[in-house]
Structure formats: C-alpha cells, structure tokens
Amino acid sequence: MGHDKTNDMTKGNPVKLILMFSIPLLIGNIFQQFYSMVDTIIVGRFVGVEALAAVGSTGSMVFLVNGFVTGLTSGFAVLVSQRFGAKDEKGLKKAVGSAIILTAISVIVVTLVSVISAKPLLRLMNTPENIMKDATTYIIIIYAGCIATVAYNMIASILRSLGDSKTPLYFLIVSSVLNIVLDLVFIINFKMGVAGAAYATIISQGVSAILCF
C-alpha cells in the first residue's frame, strides 16, 4: 500500500504536520477547478462564442456534482485514517474495502440521477435555446464519465488518509497538462467541439485515477 509514502501524523510538530499536509490539498483543489477553466478558454478560442457560452453555462452543474463527490469520498476515507492512526492493519484493509464498495454504489446512483436530470436542470436554469444543444452535450458527457472523477477522488482520499497528500497532487498536475493537450487535439485536429472538451476532461481524470491507483 505504498508505506514509504505514508505519513504518521501522530508524531512530530502538529502545526508543521497539518501545514505540510494541507498545502498540497489546497493546490489540488485549485487544479480541480482548472479542468473547467481550460475547457472554457480553449472552446472559446477555437470553437466560438456560442460554444463558450454553452460550456460556461454548465459550470455550476459541474461544481455541484464534483463538490458532492469530493465530500462523499472524503467522508468514506475518515474510517481509513482512523484505522491507520490506530495501527489496526486488519481494520485498515476492511475500511479501504468498505470505501471502495460504498463509492461504487454511489457512483452508479450519482451518474444515473445526474444524466437524467441534466437537461431538465438546464431548462430550469433558463439556458438559451441557441446554446442548449452544446450545453446538453457537454454536461451529459461529463456526468456520464463521473466514474473517472469519483475514482480519482476516492483513491486520492485514501492516500490522504494515510498521510500522503503529495502523490494525488502530482498526478492531478500531470492530468491537468494532459487535459490541455487532449483539448487541443480533439478540438483543433478532430473538430469535436464541446464534446472534445468534455472527453478530454474525463480521459484526463481517468488517467489521474489510474496513476494514483
């Protein structure tokens, strides 16, 4: 389980430990917002104003699901950190197993609910008709690929609960750079428009999940 990277936060200066643990966490949160920002910038630059408006109009919807998922996976990882702190290896394995099962059940429910409610929610938000098609395309791909976001957040939460907040950040930075490259390839080379931006985000998050795993 990568014991060389784990960090027993019960030993040493508490303030220093918390600071050293929290800084990568804070930078990681900024990079998670970076995905949508990059999609918006590249779509606006290479697809057009309507496509930019379409991606921009889904920002709060993406944040809603991402925020929910992050909170959920962090909650599941609380037991893992408790068992790790108590040096209970058997309990630790059980807690990790439980977190994986609960996350798998949650991702099915979250994906179904979000995909089904995507278009009604866009209508409820008074999304203009001229950008409705692009907005729906973008948000449904993001929601359908929710498993990638959830997988990254779950594995990152488990790593953090073992005292390692740096590894998830390193892989998040790698996937953020990959997102920019894929955005440009899918949008400029393959002319995929807003769908290209959405696929780039999902693939990048999937890669960061695999690397963390």
Side-chain angles (χ1 to χ4, degrees):
M1 203 179 271
H3 289 291
D4 56 322
K5 293 280 188 78
T6 59
N7 182 22
D8 189 345
M9 293 182 72
T10 60
K11 293 171 187 168
N13 184 321
V15 176
K16 188 187 173 190
L17 281 167
I18 291 166
L19 270 176
M20 295 306 289
F21 182 80
S22 302
I23 291 165
L25 211 59
L26 184 67
I27 299 167
N29 283 338
I30 294 164
F31 269 94
Q32 284 226 297
Q33 303 311 313
F34 193 62
Y35 282 111
S36 299
M37 195 174 78
V38 165
D39 283 356
T40 307
I41 293 166
I42 294 173
V43 162
R45 179 80 179 80
F46 296 104
V47 185
V49 178
E50 285 192 359
L52 170 65
V55 173
S57 70
T58 65
S60 56
M61 291 169 70
V62 173
F63 183 75
L64 177 74
V65 170
N66 280 355
F68 178 72
V69 159
T70 306
L72 207 65
T73 51
S74 298
F76 293 158
V78 169
L79 274 175
V80 178
S81 57
Q82 287 175 343
R83 296 299 98 216
F84 180 67
K87 309 277 190 296
D88 175 7
E89 194 153 336
K90 192 182 174 186
L92 176 63
K93 287 175 182 175
K94 195 176 176 185
V96 170
S98 300
I100 292 167
I101 292 162
L102 286 167
T103 302
I105 295 165
S106 303
V107 76
I108 294 164
V109 175
V110 169
T111 304
L112 283 172
V113 171
S114 53
V115 168
I116 291 164
S117 63
K119 197 159 188 178
L121 198 55
L122 283 167
R123 294 215 178 277
L124 203 64
M125 288 164 63
N126 293 322
T127 306
E129 214 47 57
N130 62 321
I131 63 167
M132 179 61 86
K133 187 173 178 286
D134 275 350
T136 307
T137 300
Y138 182 81
I139 198 67
I140 283 180
I141 294 167
I142 293 289
Y143 281 168
C146 184
I147 187 168
T149 311
V150 176
Y152 168 77
N153 279 290
M154 185 206 67
I155 301 162
S157 292
I158 290 171
L159 285 171
R160 289 183 195 119
S161 64
L162 302 176
D164 178 12
S165 61
K166 289 177 184 171
T167 303
L169 172 63
Y170 297 151
F171 292 140
L172 190 60
I173 293 168
V174 169
S175 69
S176 295
V177 174
L178 179 64
N179 184 38
I180 296 169
V181 174
L182 290 177
D183 262 339
L184 294 168
V185 170
F186 289 165
I187 290 168
I188 298 170
N189 291 41
F190 296 123
K191 313 280 184 215
M192 289 169 73
V194 294
Y199 283 123
T201 296
I202 295 306
I203 292 166
S204 304
Q205 293 205 322
V207 167
S208 64
I210 292 162
L211 289 171
C212 276
F213 185 72

